[in-house]
Structure formats: structure tokens, C-alpha cells
Amino acid sequence: MTSAAFSALAHAARRPAGRRTILLTLAALLAFVTLLAASIGAVPLSLAQVLAIALRPLGLVLPVHVTSQDVAVFWAIRLPRIVLGILVGACLGASGAAMQGLLRNPLADPGLIGISSGASFGAALAILLVGAVGTGVPLIPVAAFAGGLLAAFAAFRIGREDGHPGSLLLAGIAINALAFAGVGLVIDAANDAQLRTITFWTLGSLGGASWDTLRWTAPPLIVSVFLLQRLARPLNLLLLGDIEARHLGVRVDRVQRNVIALAAFGVGAAVSVAGLISFVGLIAPHLVRLVVGPDHRAVLPGSALVGAIVLLLADLLARTAIAPRELAIGILTALLGAPFLLALLWGGARAGRV
Amino acid sequence: MIEARAVGIRIGRADLLTEVSLRVARGEVLALVGPNGAGKSTLLRVLSGDLPPTTGDVLLAERPLRAFPPEDLARARAVLPQEASLRFAFSALEVALMGRAPHAARSEGPDDLRIAREALRRVGLGAHEARIYTTLSGGERQRVQLARVLAQLPPTDTAGPRCLLLDEPIASQDLAHQHRVLRIAREEAERGAAVILVLHDLVLAAQYADRIGVLSRGHLVAEGSPADVLTPDLLRDVFSVVAQILKAPTAPGHPLVFVETDDI
């Protein structure tokens, strides 16, 4: 494509009608990836079989042969994992976009203000303690959730003292260092079995998906993704600068508090059930901004959709690449995301940006 | 319209502003001048509501600024800060449209688009609405920000306050655009706004402002018509320069400042 054609296309994508088209395209792509993820696996299902199984409860019976085992695989194994992937990916994407907007830093990510590392420390500590006590409570996710919220809250309170977004980042870096030091100490005290659990957990996986886990992780993920969308306009104005946003009537403190609370709430839930999944929150908003520009009214829903697509594809790869064993999804997102980020920086540096 | 009553700003043990009182009515342009660090921008920040005064009060339409909810204040006055930090790739039109945010309840409509385009046209960027802000020159960026601020002003037939605060609006502008920007400030005053701007150029201040306020070390040391304020004595005391005040041959009402030496 010539650069003139590309820039004409890019300009069209920035108009409201163009944005709608792109969001609809992404939604269609997500639907397609969902079908794909539902059909591929240890028990292969054709797309027709997937549709037949999915539509039967709605009273639509398609003339496709399905066994009761197919039905069970779809409803009990594949669908909860897909739903979890979509929700976690959407939450990571939307939170990443909102954090980047809030900090006016396109390299920000929910991990930067300590949510993920706090959650890791919580989880690692719980693994150590559960191993010792041996109770059956879902202590690990609860501890991860609490750790993430606590770390984000601490970074926010300390880093906002002088009202500068850079300080929040620095506070986040310090909290991250502390939390990882904590994880290090826990690893030092852990036995081999605990160590394996901790390692697997810090690399991320959607393997824990079930309707049971969704019952308590889906609400915070959904709430976070949808409420973040409502902050699109104030986030746009914040890109002008805190002072300019205030001149335009934005209650800057309230917006900051809401973005961080919603991101911590959602990402805390995501990390608690799926472990650390890096780069999705960083990359999804970048990809979307390349096409639709920086307006959060397109970037937030777009990042949620792209986050969901990327995570579903990564999970598909994670559970099929070395089947019957599974790769950790965090390895895949990092393996795909890191070179992408480097390419972005390299291209940006050459174009004189960044 | 907008009034500072004995405003003082004390940060730590430093007095940035002391007992500053001024009043700008609808239709008036006041230029704030003074040496670097005299407190011009600080005063503008106090007048815009960014910085609550340590002592004294700021009133907009006889109502204390702190009594305004942020949304109401945004519909009554617009502010152009000295430096803009926008680093995201919005188009010029998208930036100008942000000025409509306080007026558009949910999303911008055709009226907002028309107002934003008109503002871009006034600052001389009507043909550049699709240009990406981050690729514009410093002067163009400043004028896009000015367009955003103009788009934020309430409609001219508003009964409520209408106030425009500009901090060094011509800092990055070439000669023609300096005059274009200052003419816009003048026009806004004629359309019923109270305009306060910070300027360094005394000649331009004399040409475009009804009154000049001179700040020196946080004190408002002189305030009045350009001809009254700009005197050799004041320039010596405040700016430490020896200067002559001349009259433009074709516009004798406008004092010109010729600096002989700053070696005193």
C-alpha cells in the first residue's frame, strides 16, 4: 500500500463512522476467534458442530451430528475457558488503555503501578501458607486480589502526594521492587512442589477456568471493562494535561481515583484467576491507536476487543502447541508482545517519534 | 466581571503575590506585564482558579471563584496556559473540539463542530484541521490550543460571565500571527468577554490593551491606561532599563518604547 493511500485510510478510520466500522470489524473478528477457539482442542469439533451445540439451548436444532461427549467438552471445558479468556483479555486491554491515558504515557501498563506484582506476592504467600496449612479454601486467588489492590492503593497514595503523574510511576516501580523481593523471599522458603505452583502461576494460564471460578471473577472483570468506557471523554481531556483538563471542568482527582480503582479491581481479579499475563495491556491499546488515533471513545472499546482477541489466540496456541501439555500463556504473550514492542520503538525512533 | 481582591500567594516562606487587587469588566482587555518571575503567570493561575489564594479572594461576576463547581467555571471562562504538553496524535480539529467538552453533554454535535472549525479559521488554521497536532510547528500548536480555548468560551449572547485568560499567547508566534492573536483577544472583548493576557512586549501591550498592569516582585506596582503606565521612570524602576517613550507618527495614542541601555 502506498503511504498516501495508507494515510487516507488512517484519516477515514478516525472519523466517527470509520471508528464504528472498525469496532464492528473487531467484534466480528472476536466472534470468529471465539468459534475457532471453541472448535480446536484435544477433542476436535467442526465449526458446524460448535454452532449446533451453542444454539441448541436457544431452541435451534441444526442438522449436525454431535455426541454427548462433544456437548460436555464444549459446555464444561471449552466455553468457560473462552469466556474467561475474553473477559481477562478485555480487562487487560481496557485497563492498559486507561492507564496509558491517565499517565499520558503510551508505555504504561497496569503492572507499572504495582497491581500485578502485588497480586503475585499475595498469591506466592498464599501458596506457601496453604501448602503449610493445607486448607481447601480458594485462598490463592483471594490473596492475589487483595495483594493487587493493596499495592495499587499504596502506589496511588504515595505517588500522588505531589500530583505529578511521573511520581505515580516511580512509586509503582518502588512497590514493584518490594513485591518482587517479597516473592523472592517466599520462593526461598518454598519447597519444590510449592515452587512449581508459584512458577506456573507467575507465568499465567487460563487453565483454571470453570463456571465456578467465573462466578466470582466475571463480575469484577465485567464491571471494570464497562465502567472504564464511561471515562473516555475525561481521559481524552486529561491527555491535554492535568491543568488544561481542570480548566475544561474535569474533576481530575476523581477521574484518577476512578481509573486506578477500576483497573486495580479488574486486573486484580484477572491476575487472581489467570496469573501474570504480560504485554496484553501494553500492546492492545497501541495496536488500536495506530488505526483509530488517540480518542479514548474508540481506544477503550477497541483495546478491550483486541485484548480479548489476542488472549484467545495466545491461549489457543498455549493449549495446542505442545499438546497434551500446556504452555504458560504469559510466556506466549511475552514472546509475541516483546518483539512487537521493540519493533514499535524501532520504527518510532526511525520516524523521529518516541 | 473578574476581580482580584487583595490576593496573596505564599508558598513556604516566599511571597509570590502580595495584596494584588484588580478588576476587569466585560469588553475590556488588561495586559499583565513585568520582568521574569514577577508573578504574572502565578496571578493568572489564581484568576483561573488553579491556585487558591493564600489570602484575599477572586470573584467572577461578583461570586467567589471557589463557589463555582468545576463544570460551571469551565462554561464561564477559558484559559490558555503557557506551555502545552499534548503528545498524543490528535488532529487539529479534535483538539479544538475538546474546547466544547464543557458545553456538550455527551458527545459533540454539528454546532460544536461548526464552532471548533470557526475557531481554527480565526487562528489561521482553517485549512489544517486534519493535520496531526504533534506534527505541527510550535507556533501552530499554540494556535491550535488557542482555537480550543476560543471554542470553550460561552456563546456571545450569554447572560453569564465570559472571561478569557491567556498566558503569553504570542510567545511562539511570528510577527503577523502575533497581531492576529492579539486582534482575536480584542474581538473577544468586543463580543462581551473580559480578557486578561500576559505579555512581554510592551509595545504590543500598549497597542491592544485598554489597560496595563505592571507586576514587580509579586506586587502590582502600576495599573492604568498604556500612556499613563509606560513612563521612563517605571521602566527604570521595574525593568532596570533606560528607555524613551515615543509616539507612533500615525497613531499618536500608542506609546512606543525605545530602550537605550540596560546598563544602570
Side-chain angles (χ1 to χ4, degrees):
Chain A
M1 200 184 310
T2 68
S3 74
F6 183 75
S7 82
L9 192 70
H11 190 62
R14 298 171 70 102
R15 298 216 183 91
R19 284 176 186 157
R20 238 184 336 266
T21 312
I22 284 171
L23 291 181
L24 285 175
T25 311
L26 286 174
L29 196 61
L30 176 60
F32 174 71
V33 173
T34 302
L35 282 179
L36 208 63
S39 83
I40 299 173
V43 177
L45 303 170
S46 69
L47 290 183
Q49 282 174 315
V50 170
L51 282 175
I53 297 170
L55 293 179
R56 185 165 296 170
L58 300 175
L60 278 165
V61 182
L62 301 186
V64 181
H65 174 75
V66 290
T67 67
S68 62
Q69 191 210 10
D70 295 342
V71 176
V73 164
F74 177 80
W75 287 111
I77 300 174
R78 236 160 258 173
L79 194 59
R81 189 157 176 161
I82 287 170
V83 171
L84 185 69
I86 290 175
L87 292 179
V88 167
C91 175
L92 292 176
S95 310
M99 292 300 303
Q100 292 175 5
L102 184 72
L103 298 170
R104 288 190 285 281
N105 187 338
L107 294 181
D109 159 295
L112 275 187
I113 60 161
I115 303 174
S116 319
S117 61
S120 303
F121 178 57
L125 202 60
I127 290 167
L128 188 73
L129 296 180
V130 170
V133 182
T135 59
V137 207
L139 190 61
I140 298 167
V142 171
F145 189 62
L149 281 184
L150 207 67
F153 181 72
F156 181 63
R157 280 305 300 271
I158 299 163
R160 256 182 35 86
E161 277 300 303
D162 66 354
H164 193 273
S167 310
L168 184 57
L169 277 181
L170 283 177
I173 289 171
I175 299 275
N176 273 332
L178 264 182
F180 280 124
V183 173
L185 285 176
V186 170
I187 285 177
D188 195 60
N191 62 34
D192 279 357
Q194 291 166 338
L195 201 60
R196 244 192 321 279
T197 318
I198 293 173
T199 310
F200 190 73
W201 194 86
T202 54
L203 291 173
S205 165
L206 294 180
S210 69
W211 294 117
D212 259 354
T213 52
L214 275 172
R215 194 168 304 139
W216 55 269
T217 48
L221 291 170
I222 291 171
V223 164
S224 146
V225 169
F226 279 92
L227 290 187
L228 279 174
Q229 310 297 323
R230 299 168 57 106
L231 296 169
R233 282 184 95 205
L235 277 171
N236 280 348
L237 301 181
L238 270 175
L239 292 183
L240 290 169
D242 286 358
I243 289 174
E244 286 87 342
R246 218 168 271 137
H247 290 155
L248 285 163
V250 176
R251 295 170 190 255
V252 173
D253 291 1
R254 189 187 289 177
V255 174
Q256 284 181 337
R257 211 171 36 233
N258 288 350
V259 167
I260 291 179
L262 287 174
F265 192 53
V267 174
V271 176
S272 75
V273 64
L276 287 186
I277 299 176
S278 56
F279 281 102
V280 177
L282 185 61
I283 299 295
H286 264 289
L287 277 173
V288 176
R289 256 190 236 106
L290 280 179
V291 182
V292 300
D295 190 328
H296 283 98
R297 283 171 292 188
V299 171
L300 285 173
S303 301
L305 288 169
V306 170
I309 293 169
V310 168
L311 205 64
L312 273 190
L313 285 176
D315 186 52
L316 188 58
L317 216 55
R319 62 192 169 83
T320 53
I322 55 165
R325 291 201 303 131
E326 277 195 19
L327 266 173
I329 194 169
I331 297 179
L332 278 169
T333 55
L335 217 54
L336 301 172
F340 177 80
L341 181 61
L342 289 174
L344 216 66
L345 288 168
W346 176 249
R350 280 159 58 102
R353 288 181 282 114
V354 181
Chain B
M1 170 81 75
I2 187 162
E3 183 182 1
R5 277 191 193 157
V7 161
I9 289 283
R10 169 173 275 252
I11 290 180
R13 293 166 66 188
D15 283 310
L16 301 187
L17 289 176
T18 312
E19 294 273 323
V20 173
S21 295
L22 54 81
R23 192 186 172 93
V24 181
R26 211 176 255 279
E28 265 192 314
V29 177
L30 172 79
L32 291 173
V33 303
N36 293 332
K40 303 182 293 292
S41 293
T42 307
L43 179 54
L44 212 67
R45 287 184 60 200
V46 175
L47 292 170
S48 68
D50 287 345
L51 201 59
T54 320
T55 56
D57 232 334
V58 176
L59 291 93
L60 187 61
E62 312 298 327
R63 192 173 155 210
L65 220 47
R66 56 189 148 70
F68 280 81
E71 298 84 2
D72 289 359
L73 196 54
R75 282 191 286 267
R77 66 95 182 87
V79 190
L80 180 73
Q82 209 175 101
E83 272 174 48
S85 58
L86 181 60
R87 284 179 314 172
F88 284 74
F90 286 105
S91 71
L93 182 62
E94 286 172 326
V95 177
L97 264 175
M98 289 187 190
R100 297 305 302 160
H103 305 280
R106 290 193 60 84
S107 66
E108 299 88 4
D111 274 351
D112 300 305
L113 207 58
R114 185 180 49 73
I115 292 169
R117 288 209 162 105
E118 166 67 8
L120 280 175
R121 191 194 58 74
R122 286 174 76 194
V123 301
L125 292 168
H128 293 65
E129 64 168 54
R131 288 279 305 277
I132 298 301
Y133 179 85
T134 44
T135 66
L136 297 172
S137 75
E140 289 168 328
R141 288 184 202 190
Q142 194 181 28
R143 278 183 286 132
V144 172
Q145 294 281 355
L146 178 63
R148 167 178 71 75
V149 169
L150 293 175
Q152 189 190 344
L153 281 176
T156 45
D157 55 6
T158 181
R162 196 165 189 276
C163 182
L164 180 60
L165 305 172
L166 309 171
D167 196 352
E168 296 196 28
I170 58 170
S172 323
Q173 302 304 327
D174 62 34
L175 185 64
H177 284 114
Q178 291 181 0
H179 287 271
R180 181 193 276 268
V181 167
L182 292 174
R183 241 185 341 259
I184 290 173
R186 207 47 273 167
E187 284 165 20
E188 286 303 334
E190 277 148 26
R191 293 178 185 182
V195 181
I196 300 180
L197 35 79
V198 173
L199 286 179
H200 275 299
D201 190 318
L202 300 180
V203 177
L204 289 175
Q207 187 178 347
Y208 285 97
D210 299 299
R211 286 181 296 136
I212 293 181
V214 184
L215 279 167
S216 177
R217 297 191 188 127
H219 293 263
L220 189 67
V221 293
E223 203 242 291
S225 74
D228 290 344
V229 167
L230 297 182
T231 62
D233 286 350
L234 178 115
L235 294 180
R236 190 194 57 228
D237 295 345
V238 172
F239 292 96
S240 307
V241 296
V242 175
Q244 298 175 20
I245 306 298
L246 312 168
K247 287 191 190 318
T250 56
H254 293 153
L256 300 178
V257 178
F258 176 71
V259 176
E260 294 176 16
T261 167
D262 57 358
D263 186 28
I264 54 172

